[in-house]
């Protein structure tokens, strides 16, 4: 009976760990109690988007199974690295990777710093990801970051998803889509948030036309003066 109880506890823990990888712990706890999860407003968070440069042409040159293997290698690499930072992985859609800091657990003014350090790490890490069917090839990341308010909530009943809503999400996505290979494109809001401790090497990109936003003054995040990039 004691062994069966221990086995049951172990299986329950495995199930909980898997659930917590799909939803925030606080949200999963409410859903398990059949409680309604209320959407929550966050005054300041920092959102990161990235995608793979030339992914469409890469995918066209290989089989679907090879695409899956390539993306799995990439995301296993990224997932293991973001554990070093106070961030929450929201989702992956194809080759797009979305991460946020400042929710579901608020972390004061640390969110921009955490995302900035993480993004520098991921841009360096992507060069080390092996493409099984292209052993001589190397992936390139295009990244974008924006800081601002957003709303987070659970959508759906079957396979519920924890989603972010608001203009901050759209702007972060625009920062990524107007970025360049192996570059981290940041908005003025993120630039201002990173100025507080003068720890980053940042270069002015200038004013660019952003779809749906008009002209925006943006910057390139080049490095951190206090941290070496993880190998």
């Amino acid at each position: 009976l004691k062994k069966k109880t221990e086995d049951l506890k172990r299986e329950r823990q495995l199930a909980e760990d898997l659930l917590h990888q799909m939803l925030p712990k606080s949200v999963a706890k409410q859903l398990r109690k059949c409680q309604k999860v209320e959407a929550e407003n966050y005054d300041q968070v920092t959102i990161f988007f990235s995608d793979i440069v030339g992914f469409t042409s890469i995918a066209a040159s290989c089989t679907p199974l090879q695409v899956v293997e390539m993306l799995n290698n990439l995301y296993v690499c990224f997932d293991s690295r973001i554990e070093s930072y106070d961030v929450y992985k929201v989702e992956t859609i194809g080759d797009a990777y979305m991460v946020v800091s400042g929710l579901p657990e608020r972390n004061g003014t640390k969110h921009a710093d955490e995302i900035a350090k993480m993004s520098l790490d991921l841009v360096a890490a992507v060069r080390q990801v092996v493409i099984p069917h292209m052993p001589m090839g190397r992936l390139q990341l295009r990244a974008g970051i924006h800081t601002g308010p957003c709303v987070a909530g659970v959508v759906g009943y079957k396979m519920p998803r924890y989603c972010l809503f608001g203009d901050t999400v759209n702007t972060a996505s625009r920062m990524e889509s107007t970025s360049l290979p192996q570059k981290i494109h940041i908005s003025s809001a993120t630039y201002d948030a990173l100025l507080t401790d003068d720890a980053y090497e940042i270069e002015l990109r200038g004013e660019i036309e952003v779809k749906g936003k008009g002209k925006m003054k943006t910057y390139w995040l080049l490095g951190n003066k206090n941290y070496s990039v993880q190998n």
Side-chain angles (χ1 to χ4, degrees):
L1 182 61
K2 183 181 179 182
K3 187 179 183 304
K4 289 288 184 185
T5 303
E6 288 174 352
D7 289 344
L8 181 60
K9 283 182 180 178
R10 196 178 301 111
E11 289 299 322
R12 182 177 293 172
Q13 187 61 52
L14 287 171
E16 285 189 5
D17 289 345
L18 180 60
L19 181 61
H20 294 159
Q21 288 175 24
M22 300 167 68
L23 292 167
K25 288 184 180 181
S26 56
V27 171
K29 187 176 180 181
Q30 292 178 71
L31 288 175
R32 281 186 10 236
K33 292 181 178 179
C34 298
Q35 296 175 350
K36 183 181 178 182
V37 181
E38 298 290 343
E40 193 166 357
N41 185 67
Y42 294 85
D43 293 333
Q44 283 285 295
V45 301
T46 297
I47 299 173
F48 167 94
F49 276 96
S50 71
D51 75 350
I52 298 302
V53 178
F55 177 75
T56 304
S57 58
I58 293 172
S61 67
C62 53
T63 68
L65 282 175
Q66 287 173 330
V67 173
V68 171
E69 189 176 8
M70 176 180 67
L71 288 179
N72 185 58
N73 286 349
L74 177 68
Y75 293 150
V76 165
C77 171
F78 282 9
D79 291 349
S80 63
R81 284 174 177 267
I82 69 171
E83 288 180 358
S84 302
Y85 308 96
D86 183 11
V87 300
Y88 177 77
K89 176 183 169 183
V90 182
E91 63 182 347
T92 56
I93 307 171
D95 65 318
Y97 196 78
M98 180 184 181
V99 184
V100 64
S101 182
L103 67 78
E105 302 298 329
R106 291 173 173 82
N107 57 4
T109 58
K110 289 172 52 184
H111 46 85
D113 181 52
E114 292 294 319
I115 287 290
K117 287 186 294 188
M118 179 209 75
S119 62
L120 290 166
D121 191 355
L122 297 190
V123 167
V126 72
R127 305 294 290 166
Q128 301 169 27
V129 176
V130 175
I131 311 174
H133 59 284
M134 295 169 58
M136 301 304 293
R138 284 294 178 266
L139 298 175
Q140 289 185 301
L141 203 66
R142 179 170 45 224
I145 305 173
H146 180 56
T147 300
C150 83
V151 170
V154 175
V155 175
Y157 174 68
K158 289 185 180 294
M159 292 184 67
R161 290 175 58 208
Y162 187 68
C163 298
L164 310 188
F165 302 92
D167 190 57
T168 299
V169 180
N170 300 331
T171 305
S173 178
R174 296 292 185 220
M175 290 298 100
E176 178 273 314
S177 62
T178 53
S179 187
L180 295 174
Q182 290 300 103
K183 290 277 195 177
I184 303 167
H185 191 205
I186 67 174
S187 66
S188 293
T190 301
Y191 171 75
D192 291 340
L194 292 176
L195 279 183
T196 53
D197 57 2
D198 191 32
Y200 290 92
E201 298 172 25
I202 300 172
E203 180 183 280
L204 175 67
R205 182 181 190 180
E207 281 197 344
I208 64 165
E209 189 70 31
V210 179
K211 185 179 177 182
K213 305 294 294 182
K215 286 194 176 297
M216 288 184 69
K217 188 178 182 181
T218 63
Y219 301 80
W220 297 119
L221 175 61
L222 304 178
N224 187 304
K225 301 170 187 175
N226 303 326
Y227 296 87
S228 60
V229 175
Q230 292 182 28
N231 189 330

